[in-house]
Amino acid sequence: MKSPTRLAELIAALRVLPGIGPKSAQRMAYHLLQRDRQGAVRLGHAIEQALTQLNHCELCNDFSETPICPLCSDSARDTSQLAVIEMPTDLLMMEQTQSYHGLYFVLMGRLSPLDGIGPREIHLDRLIQRASNGTVQEVILATNFTMEGEATAHAITELLRARGIAVSRIARGVPVGGELEHIDSGTLAQALTDRRRCDTN
Amino acid sequence: MKSPTRLAELIAALRVLPGIGPKSAQRMAYHLLQRDRQGAVRLGHAIEQALTQLNHCELCNDFSETPICPLCSDSARDTSQLAVIEMPTDLLMMEQTQSYHGLYFVLMGRLSPLDGIGPREIHLDRLIQRASNGTVQEVILATNFTMEGEATAHAITELLRARGIAVSRIARGVPVGGELEHIDSGTLAQALTDRRRCDTN
């Protein structure tokens, strides 16, 4: 006894989703077919629409339905600052701070030679070109503080420094609300090194 | 700044999958669009095909591409036994034992009044009809040993007993390889109650 072919194919196809193994895929397939057929129709349609209608913004590389995304077209943004981030989610996090008003460049990943992700895959050529357009005064590296994010930040720093473009890295330290007792020593060491004077204005 | 509409819709649509929250949906959407567009095409197609081509077998209620599924059409099966199970996965588990050769009825759920799942939703009318066809000699209840699975088994027992049809329940006890030290006391108590004579043949 095998599963019906189209059911088996749906279960196999669901496994293209990250983090979904055979058991979860099976549960999802039964759920879609048995409990939420309308949801399944909606999902199929959304996938098709997103694949055909979504592209990357020519300037910031974020997902966009238009050649230039609304943020890059927004004349209220500060064009002298360019923040480099790994993923679109990071852009949303940055916007939520309401303390950054510059532009972005979304790498859509981070350097990861073992996974075959090199400078070309994260579009460093386009980033350099963008940063060299004459209006950008400072490139702010906001990649993650992981091994790969740090390596990516380092590589970008080298490339931009060679072209005389100012580069900065967002600060590393104790999180707001963080207690020293529960902070790892690497973070605490960095927080010490990067300490700021508070007796000057 | 909002996400592009079609991206937001894809992320929202992915949340119809069971156990997928906003963060996972976001990660899945980026993965499909960025890393596995072919997989996304395949998934969209598989959903559409499954929705249009898969139905329920008229006899056992399992998913099937034909009105009667291959298992129900198989003349080698023992038509005197009918096992009642909750989900198609359970059917696969039963088949893997290679010790059951009868037919099945798949409830596609279990009684769960709080979720609005009553006798009609798990097709008990069709089960009774099937069990009363004159060839079925014994109905074997193989629903889960959860609260809901037990309640379902109890309800089916009452319905079938009223019609004079023999009903049995698969055994509850210590799992093969299980050590008493690590078994919960409820299971052990049941294993004691259901003890089998071994001095008789």
Side-chain angles (χ1 to χ4, degrees):
Chain A
M1 263 311 293
K2 290 230 219 88
S3 294
T5 324
R6 286 194 177 83
L7 179 58
E9 167 55 17
L10 175 58
I11 293 171
L14 281 163
R15 295 194 56 192
V16 308
L17 297 170
I20 300 305
K23 288 265 174 188
S24 299
Q26 213 168 40
R27 197 162 41 88
M28 285 174 169
Y30 294 145
H31 176 87
L32 289 179
L33 289 168
Q34 191 63 19
R35 300 245 177 273
D36 197 358
R37 294 178 74 90
Q38 283 207 316
V41 170
R42 180 181 168 193
L43 177 56
H45 183 73
I47 290 173
E48 187 262 327
Q49 281 288 303
L51 283 173
T52 55
Q53 306 295 332
L54 273 182
N55 280 296
H56 292 283
C57 169
E58 291 170 13
L59 293 175
C60 74
N61 200 38
D62 193 7
F63 290 116
S64 174
E65 298 190 22
T66 47
I68 308 290
C69 77
L71 194 148
C72 285
S73 319
D74 185 349
S75 61
R77 306 291 303 199
D78 179 355
T79 57
S80 71
Q81 293 186 320
L82 184 69
V84 179
I85 52 178
E86 294 184 17
M87 294 298 290
T89 2
D90 304 331
L91 192 155
L92 299 178
M93 298 305 290
M94 292 279 283
E95 288 296 295
Q96 277 174 24
T97 67
Q98 299 197 358
S99 60
Y100 179 71
H101 309 287
L103 298 172
Y104 292 95
F105 188 86
V106 186
L107 299 171
M108 293 288 173
R110 72 289 300 163
L111 286 179
S112 181
L114 290 180
D115 300 321
I117 300 175
R120 182 194 303 267
E121 281 69 29
I122 58 171
H123 316 283
L124 290 193
D125 47 341
R126 283 176 54 204
L127 168 59
I128 302 302
Q129 198 186 335
R130 180 89 194 279
S132 321
N133 68 357
T135 55
V136 173
Q137 303 293 313
E138 181 186 3
V139 171
I140 301 170
L141 300 177
T143 54
N144 290 332
F145 284 100
T146 56
M147 289 261 286
E148 293 170 341
E150 291 277 45
T152 307
H154 182 74
I156 296 172
T157 304
E158 294 301 307
L159 285 169
L160 292 176
R161 184 154 54 191
R163 285 164 182 79
I165 301 165
V167 195
S168 62
R169 181 88 168 103
I170 55 169
R172 182 164 41 178
V174 181
V176 174
E179 294 169 328
L180 263 59
E181 188 183 344
H182 303 115
I183 295 293
D184 69 289
S185 59
T187 297
L188 192 52
Q190 198 70 36
L192 266 172
T193 308
D194 292 351
R195 66 190 181 278
R196 294 175 57 177
R197 289 286 291 271
C198 29
D199 55 354
T200 55
N201 269 317
Chain B
M1 264 311 294
K2 292 230 218 90
S3 293
T5 325
R6 287 194 177 82
L7 179 58
E9 166 55 17
L10 175 58
I11 293 171
L14 282 163
R15 295 194 57 193
V16 308
L17 297 170
I20 300 305
K23 288 264 173 188
S24 297
Q26 212 168 40
R27 196 161 44 88
M28 286 174 167
Y30 294 146
H31 177 87
L32 289 179
L33 289 167
Q34 190 64 19
R35 302 246 176 273
D36 196 358
R37 295 180 74 89
Q38 282 206 316
V41 170
R42 181 181 167 192
L43 177 55
H45 184 72
I47 290 172
E48 188 262 328
Q49 281 289 303
L51 283 173
T52 55
Q53 305 294 331
L54 274 182
N55 279 296
H56 292 283
C57 170
E58 290 169 15
L59 293 176
C60 73
N61 199 37
D62 193 7
F63 290 116
S64 174
E65 298 187 23
T66 47
I68 308 290
C69 77
L71 194 146
C72 285
S73 318
D74 185 350
S75 61
R77 306 291 302 200
D78 178 354
T79 57
S80 71
Q81 293 187 319
L82 183 70
V84 179
I85 52 176
E86 296 184 15
M87 296 297 290
T89 3
D90 304 331
L91 192 155
L92 299 178
M93 298 305 289
M94 293 278 283
E95 288 297 295
Q96 277 173 24
T97 66
Q98 299 198 357
S99 61
Y100 179 72
H101 309 287
L103 297 172
Y104 292 95
F105 188 87
V106 186
L107 299 171
M108 291 288 174
R110 74 287 301 164
L111 285 180
S112 180
L114 290 179
D115 300 322
I117 300 176
R120 181 195 300 268
E121 281 70 29
I122 57 171
H123 317 282
L124 289 195
D125 47 339
R126 283 176 54 204
L127 167 59
I128 302 302
Q129 198 184 335
R130 180 88 194 280
S132 322
N133 68 358
T135 55
V136 173
Q137 303 293 314
E138 180 187 6
V139 171
I140 301 170
L141 301 176
T143 55
N144 291 332
F145 284 99
T146 56
M147 290 262 286
E148 293 170 342
E150 291 277 47
T152 306
H154 182 74
I156 296 171
T157 304
E158 294 302 306
L159 285 168
L160 292 176
R161 183 154 55 189
R163 285 163 182 79
I165 301 165
V167 194
S168 63
R169 180 90 170 102
I170 55 169
R172 182 163 41 178
V174 180
V176 174
E179 294 168 330
L180 262 59
E181 187 183 344
H182 302 115
I183 295 292
D184 69 289
S185 59
T187 298
L188 192 52
Q190 198 70 36
L192 266 171
T193 309
D194 291 351
R195 66 190 181 280
R196 295 175 58 177
R197 290 285 292 273
C198 29
D199 55 354
T200 56
N201 266 322

